[in-house]
Amino acid sequence: MQGKWGKAASVLMAGVVAASLTACGKEEKPASSPNASPSPSSEPSESAAPKTVSLDWLTYQYGPVDNDAPIKKFVEDKFNVKLNIWYMDVTQREQLLGTKLASGEIPDFMTVYSGADLQKFYTQGVTVGYTEEELNQYMPNYKKLVDSYDPKIWDYVKYDGKYIGIPSINSDGVYSLATAWRQDWLEKVGITEVPETLEEYKEALVKFRNDDPDGNNKKDTYGMSNSGMTNVYGAYGVYPEFWTIRDGQIVWSGILPETKKALETLREWKQEDLISPEWVIGENTGGYWAISHDFVNGKIGVSSHGSYYHWSPADPETNFLGGDNTKMLAEVTKGEGKIAYGKPPVGPDGKFGNITPGLVGGTYMAFGKDAADDETRHRIMQIWDTVYGDFDTFVKVKYGDKGVHHDNGPDGHTIVMKEGFKTNEEMAKIGAHITFSPFAQPEFSKKLQDPKRVGANDKYFKFEGAGYENAVKSPLPSDSKYSKNLIKLQQDTFTAIINGEKPLEEFDKFVEEWKSSGGDQLTKEANEWYQSLK
């Protein structure tokens, strides 16, 4: 049931943090010929010719960055820095980062994957904050960008009067998760219209299980796996791992009566063998996280796995092969597999939807404790502000050099990577992709999109009133104390109910245990936060 929007768990144990705080800071080596070129709007105030600053840099990476990577060298020369870019296998990031921190190694700049971790890192001294004055002086372009979407986003990274991280903008937050059907399966079992209601949704799942949609004369296909469950919850008006607003109060969706109704439906569908037996494991069997291997390999017939753009339709006119799942389905089925796009199914009370993340991004950047040094922190801010304030710099660090690493696509807008730089791993080697631009820059992205594709996204993935967004945008004081155990309690209980290992009535016991095990305290804090915004 865990969505893409919170991809990493908490990574610090108390002992690890205590050990990390004993680490020594790095030395900064003077440059023989300083040549920094920060953003014109954020010139350094320390000196006219600033010294070289050594930076340990950690973002989400698909592979290691070469020591002589051209984009790494570009950033080093432009901003007079010496970069040590950390690489951590994303499947082991929690353990690897914990080991680093335990040995006293803390990056100067790092991606943080939840608001709770952001607050915890700061309160435990692993990271440092910055002031309003610094924001205005050293990151004016990024501040202007965020403000153009919602100035309140800055409030969500504020703690004790300081900003403790750099927020991200999720311009894709207006789009729901895809509801992607195997169109060839629908046609094979005699369904001519894409299902629109929960009843029609179930009817298709029954036929996918029983009517041999892949034509191999074996009963080896299922209706859906875990991602389809978000649509079932949405048909009852909830997403169970989000806070929501009811009657002017913040409440946890997982304890609402509507969630119990959704569980009852899912339990029935599981008993009827419509849901993959491996649904708890999920649809992805390794590699790139957003691929639904169950869908592309013909095990299930409907999926909402990954983000909407992982299901973008192909466009032969511009040689666009489609999103990752679209491309892989075509490869696996040799073009025989087709996708039909539908809305999340409408439930008995007219409700529908799945996750719509909203404009507030779920990831943050934070300054490690060694960045308490003004020159280190300000240099990082200048890099960030230039990348997100200057289009040419953004394209350079994202895609490399035109004619060498990429060219424009036939539409004249999109960028097509050249051979040798197409995969995520190949792009990481040269320092491209998300090494220096881990967040979206919506205004620049618009310039790099085929307008027709934007129209397709609106058509297939944007539905008025369809999304469920987390109402709480900031970590709560007691998150680190209670949230992890409460989520585990909920997931274990819901799994047991759906699989028939516990009766539906177990939900009522769960609600009481959730409240008494910290849920009431979190609810109190959530409403205090909500009132503070008014």
Side-chain angles (χ1 to χ4, degrees), residues 115-125 127-132 152-167 364 473-480 525 529 532:
D117 277 351
L118 183 69
Q119 188 177 102
K120 183 172 67 172
F121 286 177
Y122 179 75
T123 58
Q124 294 179 335
T127 60
V128 297
Y130 58 97
T131 65
E132 181 91 33
K152 286 185 178 179
I153 290 175
W154 293 105
D155 293 339
Y156 307 147
V157 294
K158 222 169 186 181
Y159 184 83
D160 280 349
K162 269 199 169 187
Y163 298 107
I164 62 173
I166 299 174
Y364 309 84
K473 309 295 186 183
S474 184
L476 302 172
S478 298
D479 265 338
S480 60
E525 294 171 0
W529 170 83
S532 73

Side-chain angles (χ1 to χ4, degrees), residues 12 45 62 75 92 114 180 211 235 291 350 369 506 513:
L12 288 182
S45 60
Y62 294 107
V75 174
Q92 304 177 59
S114 74
D211 292 2
I291 298 295
K369 71 182 185 69
E506 191 71 21
E513 186 175 354

